[in-house]
Amino acid sequence: ARTIQREYRKRYGTAPSLSTIQRILDHHHLVVHARRPRAPYRPHPAAEVPNAVQATDIITRWIYGGSVVQTFNTVDIYSNDVCSTTHADKSSAVACQHLLQTWKTLGIPALAQFDNEAAFSGGRYAHSISHVVRLCLYFGIPVLFTPLGEASYNWPVEIFNDLWAQRFWNRHRFSRRGDIPRAQHAFLHWYRTNYIAPRQSDTPARLRQGYPIQRLRACWAEQLPARLPICAGQIHAVRRVNETGYTSFLTVPLRVGKRYAGRYVWLTLETAEQRLTVWYQPRADAEWRQLKELTFLLKEPVLPVPKQFAR
């Protein structure tokens, strides 16, 4: 319409309005309206009760003087309740400390969800099981890794990270890392008892009322072995298939097929059987289809989950 209007003015002077030209073009079927391609369906785990799914992320900030602050945030997807701890680094050992504190306060989850940060996934070594995953499996908790490079999949944590930055970090000036926990405790108390998150009907504290919460006992955390074994359990990952028909799991390339290029598959590793299965769901109301079943050998023996944590 803009091009026609411009040429009309060059030849005849006054031209019809853009809306009039557009209406004439539509009437004569001379316009093809661009349609955005529908985004492929991404499967998400169900979170219908507190602690069904807990998602963890890391946010990095600096205090005056240049010291770095790594804040680990774990959000209960159902209630949006949060456990938040600050540390000097984001190593796997620190991540394990945060998870133990989370399970003492929020409770033990049915599924622990992480992005692909090295502290969670274990880095670039193929077939290796990270300390974080070992800790989860030791307590009978399955693990889910989100799609690579897609922060939007973890949207409840990202929303909390934004709120934390605006309502907490930007309103305080810290010169020592040790000053943060006290102020953070006050912020979290306000958040749990007064804040209603987007897509939520009530505060986190009220949404968790009436549900049984199984919390981690301090003695259980103190009795952890020096080196955590790989225990029997499940490690899941949601992955997008690339244009060549491949994806990856624990840095191991995996062929799914060009038919599924651009779509998302759900990968499940049964550590006890050392079996990896590939599942596909085209939409939320469709049945799951098993695409592949492969042997996925681990580098060390797999032990059963301790009796008190078996579920």
Side-chain angles (χ1 to χ4, degrees):
R2 293 183 185 278
T3 303
I4 292 174
Q5 187 186 62
R6 184 171 60 251
E7 294 299 324
Y8 196 98
R9 284 174 177 164
K10 289 181 181 178
R11 300 183 187 188
Y12 309 110
T14 304
S17 66
L18 289 175
S19 59
T20 299
I21 297 173
Q22 188 67 46
R23 187 167 58 251
I24 295 171
L25 293 173
D26 288 336
H27 177 73
H28 292 281
H29 308 289
L30 297 175
V31 175
V32 178
H33 294 280
R35 292 184 178 180
R36 291 184 178 180
R38 181 179 294 180
Y41 171 68
R42 293 189 305 188
H44 283 261
E48 299 174 349
V49 294
N51 294 336
V53 182
Q54 289 180 1
T56 303
D57 194 16
I58 309 172
I59 184 169
T60 304
R61 290 292 186 271
W62 286 264
I63 61 177
Y64 289 89
S67 298
V68 69
V69 175
Q70 304 289 356
T71 301
F72 287 73
N73 294 324
T74 296
V75 176
D76 169 32
I77 302 298
Y78 174 81
S79 66
N80 262 27
D81 202 355
V82 173
C83 179
S84 180
T85 62
T86 56
H87 306 271
D89 59 70
K90 53 178 182 178
S91 64
S92 59
V94 169
C96 290
Q97 292 178 21
H98 166 78
L99 290 175
L100 292 173
Q101 181 62 33
T102 298
W103 301 338
K104 291 176 185 177
T105 55
L106 293 185
I108 301 175
L111 179 70
Q113 178 176 301
F114 304 99
D115 62 16
N116 299 276
E117 181 83 33
F120 305 136
S121 65
R124 64 183 185 276
Y125 299 104
H127 290 267
S128 65
I129 307 299
S130 69
H131 294 294
V132 167
V133 174
R134 290 167 185 259
L135 181 69
C136 293
L137 296 180
Y138 184 84
F139 288 107
I141 304 169
V143 173
L144 171 65
F145 287 105
T146 63
L148 295 167
E150 299 186 25
S152 61
Y153 190 95
N154 232 4
W155 64 266
V157 188
E158 296 298 332
I159 288 178
F160 176 80
N161 287 346
D162 291 340
L163 180 75
W164 178 89
Q166 296 172 11
R167 298 285 188 94
F168 173 73
W169 190 260
N170 293 343
R171 295 186 178 186
H172 293 81
R173 293 195 174 192
F174 299 106
S175 58
R176 296 184 306 170
R177 195 181 294 112
D179 296 335
I180 299 175
R182 180 180 296 179
Q184 192 164 2
H185 178 77
F187 166 77
L188 291 175
H189 177 74
W190 164 83
Y191 174 84
R192 290 191 181 104
T193 57
N194 293 279
Y195 181 74
I196 300 178
R199 307 187 192 184
Q200 294 287 349
S201 60
D202 212 332
T203 63
R206 283 194 284 267
L207 286 173
R208 292 168 66 87
Q209 289 178 356
Y211 289 95
I213 304 296
Q214 181 187 6
R215 291 181 172 84
L216 181 69
R217 299 178 186 175
C219 61
W220 291 347
E222 295 170 357
Q223 295 171 1
L224 285 173
R227 174 171 170 76
L228 288 168
I230 301 176
C231 291
Q234 295 180 332
I235 305 173
H236 307 280
V238 178
R239 291 290 182 263
R240 187 167 187 170
V241 182
N242 64 23
E243 62 277 3
T244 64
Y246 278 81
T247 186
S248 65
F249 181 79
L250 297 180
T251 70
V252 177
L254 176 66
R255 186 179 183 276
V256 180
K258 290 186 178 180
R259 176 182 176 184
Y260 298 95
R263 303 180 185 182
Y264 292 88
V265 292
W266 185 291
L267 313 175
T268 298
L269 172 62
E270 300 275 356
T271 58
E273 292 79 12
Q274 302 193 37
R275 180 181 65 235
L276 178 65
T277 51
V278 183
W279 299 85
Y280 173 67
Q281 188 184 34
R283 58 186 185 277
D285 58 349
E287 295 291 331
W288 286 90
R289 298 204 299 266
Q290 182 176 327
L291 304 182
K292 284 193 174 185
E293 182 177 309
L294 307 166
T295 300
F296 195 92
L297 298 178
L298 300 174
K299 298 178 179 180
E300 56 189 275
V302 177
L303 304 182
V305 177
K307 291 183 179 180
Q308 64 268 37
F309 309 128
R311 62 179 72 188

CSV table of all heavy atoms in Angstrom, one decimal, residues 11-36:
chain,number,residue,atom,x,y,z
A,11,ARG,N,2.4,10.4,-10.0
A,11,ARG,CA,1.8,10.5,-11.3
A,11,ARG,C,0.5,11.4,-11.3
A,11,ARG,O,0.3,12.1,-12.2
A,11,ARG,CB,1.3,9.1,-11.7
A,11,ARG,CG,2.5,8.1,-11.9
A,11,ARG,CD,2.0,6.8,-12.4
A,11,ARG,NE,3.1,5.8,-12.4
A,11,ARG,CZ,3.0,4.6,-13.0
A,11,ARG,NH1,1.9,4.2,-13.5
A,11,ARG,NH2,4.1,3.8,-12.9
A,12,TYR,N,-0.3,11.3,-10.2
A,12,TYR,CA,-1.6,12.0,-10.2
A,12,TYR,C,-1.7,13.1,-9.1
A,12,TYR,O,-2.8,13.7,-9.0
A,12,TYR,CB,-2.7,11.0,-10.1
A,12,TYR,CG,-2.6,9.9,-11.1
A,12,TYR,CD1,-2.3,8.6,-10.6
A,12,TYR,CD2,-2.8,10.1,-12.4
A,12,TYR,CE1,-2.1,7.5,-11.5
A,12,TYR,CE2,-2.7,9.0,-13.3
A,12,TYR,CZ,-2.3,7.8,-12.9
A,12,TYR,OH,-2.2,6.7,-13.8
A,13,GLY,N,-0.8,13.3,-8.2
A,13,GLY,CA,-0.9,14.2,-7.1
A,13,GLY,C,-1.5,13.6,-5.9
A,13,GLY,O,-0.9,12.7,-5.3
A,14,THR,N,-2.7,14.1,-5.5
A,14,THR,CA,-3.3,13.6,-4.3
A,14,THR,C,-3.6,12.1,-4.4
A,14,THR,O,-4.2,11.7,-5.4
A,14,THR,CB,-4.6,14.4,-3.9
A,14,THR,OG1,-4.3,15.7,-3.9
A,14,THR,CG2,-5.2,13.9,-2.6
A,15,ALA,N,-3.3,11.3,-3.4
A,15,ALA,CA,-3.5,9.9,-3.4
A,15,ALA,C,-4.5,9.4,-2.3
A,15,ALA,O,-4.6,10.1,-1.3
A,15,ALA,CB,-2.2,9.1,-3.2
A,16,PRO,N,-5.1,8.3,-2.5
A,16,PRO,CA,-6.0,7.7,-1.5
A,16,PRO,C,-5.2,7.4,-0.2
A,16,PRO,O,-4.0,7.2,-0.3
A,16,PRO,CB,-6.6,6.5,-2.1
A,16,PRO,CG,-6.4,6.6,-3.6
A,16,PRO,CD,-5.2,7.4,-3.7
A,17,SER,N,-5.9,7.2,0.9
A,17,SER,CA,-5.2,6.9,2.1
A,17,SER,C,-4.7,5.4,2.1
A,17,SER,O,-5.1,4.6,1.3
A,17,SER,CB,-6.2,7.0,3.3
A,17,SER,OG,-7.2,6.1,3.2
A,18,LEU,N,-3.8,5.1,3.0
A,18,LEU,CA,-3.2,3.8,3.0
A,18,LEU,C,-4.3,2.7,3.3
A,18,LEU,O,-4.3,1.7,2.8
A,18,LEU,CB,-2.1,3.7,4.1
A,18,LEU,CG,-0.8,4.4,3.8
A,18,LEU,CD1,0.1,4.3,5.0
A,18,LEU,CD2,-0.1,3.8,2.6
A,19,SER,N,-5.2,3.1,4.2
A,19,SER,CA,-6.3,2.1,4.6
A,19,SER,C,-7.2,1.8,3.4
A,19,SER,O,-7.6,0.7,3.2
A,19,SER,CB,-7.1,2.6,5.8
A,19,SER,OG,-7.7,3.9,5.4
A,20,THR,N,-7.5,2.9,2.6
A,20,THR,CA,-8.3,2.7,1.4
A,20,THR,C,-7.6,1.8,0.4
A,20,THR,O,-8.2,0.8,-0.2
A,20,THR,CB,-8.6,4.0,0.8
A,20,THR,OG1,-9.4,4.8,1.7
A,20,THR,CG2,-9.5,3.8,-0.5
A,21,ILE,N,-6.3,2.1,0.1
A,21,ILE,CA,-5.6,1.2,-0.8
A,21,ILE,C,-5.5,-0.2,-0.3
A,21,ILE,O,-5.7,-1.2,-1.1
A,21,ILE,CB,-4.2,1.8,-1.0
A,21,ILE,CG1,-4.2,3.2,-1.6
A,21,ILE,CG2,-3.3,0.9,-1.9
A,21,ILE,CD1,-2.9,3.9,-1.7
A,22,GLN,N,-5.3,-0.4,1.0
A,22,GLN,CA,-5.2,-1.7,1.5
A,22,GLN,C,-6.5,-2.5,1.4
A,22,GLN,O,-6.6,-3.7,1.1
A,22,GLN,CB,-4.8,-1.7,3.0
A,22,GLN,CG,-4.5,-3.0,3.6
A,22,GLN,CD,-3.2,-3.6,3.1
A,22,GLN,OE1,-2.2,-3.0,2.9
A,22,GLN,NE2,-3.3,-4.9,2.7
A,23,ARG,N,-7.6,-1.8,1.6
A,23,ARG,CA,-9.0,-2.4,1.5
A,23,ARG,C,-9.2,-2.8,0.1
A,23,ARG,O,-9.8,-3.9,-0.2
A,23,ARG,CB,-10.0,-1.4,2.0
A,23,ARG,CG,-11.4,-2.0,2.0
A,23,ARG,CD,-12.4,-1.1,2.8
A,23,ARG,NE,-12.5,0.2,2.2
A,23,ARG,CZ,-12.0,1.4,2.8
A,23,ARG,NH1,-11.3,1.3,3.9
A,23,ARG,NH2,-12.1,2.5,2.2
A,24,ILE,N,-8.8,-2.0,-0.9
A,24,ILE,CA,-9.0,-2.4,-2.3
A,24,ILE,C,-8.1,-3.6,-2.7
A,24,ILE,O,-8.6,-4.5,-3.4
A,24,ILE,CB,-8.6,-1.2,-3.2
A,24,ILE,CG1,-9.6,-0.1,-3.0
A,24,ILE,CG2,-8.6,-1.6,-4.7
A,24,ILE,CD1,-9.2,1.2,-3.7
A,25,LEU,N,-6.9,-3.6,-2.2
A,25,LEU,CA,-6.1,-4.8,-2.4
A,25,LEU,C,-6.6,-6.1,-1.8
A,25,LEU,O,-6.6,-7.1,-2.5
A,25,LEU,CB,-4.7,-4.5,-1.9
A,25,LEU,CG,-3.8,-3.4,-2.6
A,25,LEU,CD1,-2.5,-3.2,-1.8
A,25,LEU,CD2,-3.5,-3.8,-4.0
A,26,ASP,N,-7.1,-6.0,-0.6
A,26,ASP,CA,-7.7,-7.1,0.0
A,26,ASP,C,-9.0,-7.6,-0.7
A,26,ASP,O,-9.2,-8.8,-0.9
A,26,ASP,CB,-8.1,-6.8,1.5
A,26,ASP,CG,-6.9,-6.7,2.4
A,26,ASP,OD1,-5.9,-7.3,2.0
A,26,ASP,OD2,-7.0,-6.0,3.4
A,27,HIS,N,-9.8,-6.6,-1.2
A,27,HIS,CA,-11.0,-7.0,-1.9
A,27,HIS,C,-10.7,-7.8,-3.2
A,27,HIS,O,-11.5,-8.7,-3.5
A,27,HIS,CB,-11.8,-5.7,-2.3
A,27,HIS,CG,-13.0,-6.0,-3.1
A,27,HIS,ND1,-14.2,-6.5,-2.5
A,27,HIS,CD2,-13.3,-5.8,-4.4
A,27,HIS,CE1,-15.1,-6.6,-3.4
A,27,HIS,NE2,-14.6,-6.2,-4.6
A,28,HIS,N,-9.6,-7.5,-3.8
A,28,HIS,CA,-9.3,-8.2,-5.1
A,28,HIS,C,-8.3,-9.3,-4.8
A,28,HIS,O,-7.7,-9.8,-5.8
A,28,HIS,CB,-8.7,-7.2,-6.1
A,28,HIS,CG,-9.7,-6.2,-6.6
A,28,HIS,ND1,-10.6,-6.5,-7.6
A,28,HIS,CD2,-9.9,-4.9,-6.2
A,28,HIS,CE1,-11.4,-5.4,-7.8
A,28,HIS,NE2,-11.0,-4.4,-7.0
A,29,HIS,N,-8.1,-9.7,-3.6
A,29,HIS,CA,-7.2,-10.8,-3.2
A,29,HIS,C,-5.8,-10.7,-3.8
A,29,HIS,O,-5.2,-11.6,-4.3
A,29,HIS,CB,-7.8,-12.1,-3.7
A,29,HIS,CG,-9.3,-12.3,-3.3
A,29,HIS,ND1,-9.7,-12.6,-2.0
A,29,HIS,CD2,-10.4,-12.3,-4.1
A,29,HIS,CE1,-11.0,-12.7,-2.0
A,29,HIS,NE2,-11.5,-12.5,-3.2
A,30,LEU,N,-5.3,-9.5,-3.6
A,30,LEU,CA,-3.9,-9.2,-4.1
A,30,LEU,C,-2.9,-9.1,-3.0
A,30,LEU,O,-1.7,-8.8,-3.3
A,30,LEU,CB,-3.9,-7.9,-4.9
A,30,LEU,CG,-4.8,-7.8,-6.1
A,30,LEU,CD1,-4.8,-6.4,-6.7
A,30,LEU,CD2,-4.3,-8.8,-7.2
A,31,VAL,N,-3.3,-9.5,-1.8
A,31,VAL,CA,-2.4,-9.4,-0.6
A,31,VAL,C,-2.3,-10.8,0.0
A,31,VAL,O,-3.4,-11.4,0.2
A,31,VAL,CB,-2.9,-8.4,0.4
A,31,VAL,CG1,-2.0,-8.4,1.6
A,31,VAL,CG2,-2.8,-7.0,-0.2
A,32,VAL,N,-1.1,-11.3,0.2
A,32,VAL,CA,-0.9,-12.5,0.9
A,32,VAL,C,-0.4,-12.2,2.3
A,32,VAL,O,0.7,-11.6,2.5
A,32,VAL,CB,0.1,-13.4,0.2
A,32,VAL,CG1,0.4,-14.7,1.0
A,32,VAL,CG2,-0.4,-13.7,-1.2
A,33,HIS,N,-1.2,-12.4,3.3
A,33,HIS,CA,-0.9,-12.1,4.7
A,33,HIS,C,0.1,-13.1,5.2
A,33,HIS,O,-0.1,-14.3,5.2
A,33,HIS,CB,-2.1,-12.1,5.6
A,33,HIS,CG,-3.1,-11.0,5.2
A,33,HIS,ND1,-2.9,-9.7,5.6
A,33,HIS,CD2,-4.2,-11.0,4.5
A,33,HIS,CE1,-3.9,-8.9,5.2
A,33,HIS,NE2,-4.7,-9.7,4.5
A,34,ALA,N,1.3,-12.6,5.7
A,34,ALA,CA,2.3,-13.5,6.2
A,34,ALA,C,1.8,-14.2,7.5
A,34,ALA,O,1.2,-13.5,8.4
A,34,ALA,CB,3.6,-12.7,6.5
A,35,ARG,N,2.1,-15.4,7.6
A,35,ARG,CA,1.7,-16.2,8.8
A,35,ARG,C,3.0,-16.7,9.5
A,35,ARG,O,3.9,-17.2,8.9
A,35,ARG,CB,0.9,-17.4,8.4
A,35,ARG,CG,-0.5,-17.1,7.9
A,35,ARG,CD,-1.3,-18.3,7.7
A,35,ARG,NE,-2.7,-18.0,7.2
A,35,ARG,CZ,-3.6,-18.9,6.9
A,35,ARG,NH1,-3.3,-20.2,7.0
A,35,ARG,NH2,-4.8,-18.6,6.5
A,36,ARG,N,3.0,-16.4,10.8
A,36,ARG,CA,4.2,-16.9,11.6
A,36,ARG,C,4.1,-18.4,11.7
A,36,ARG,O,3.0,-18.9,12.0
A,36,ARG,CB,4.2,-16.3,12.9
A,36,ARG,CG,4.5,-14.8,12.9
A,36,ARG,CD,4.6,-14.3,14.4
A,36,ARG,NE,5.0,-12.9,14.4
A,36,ARG,CZ,5.1,-12.2,15.5
A,36,ARG,NH1,4.9,-12.8,16.7
A,36,ARG,NH2,5.4,-10.9,15.5
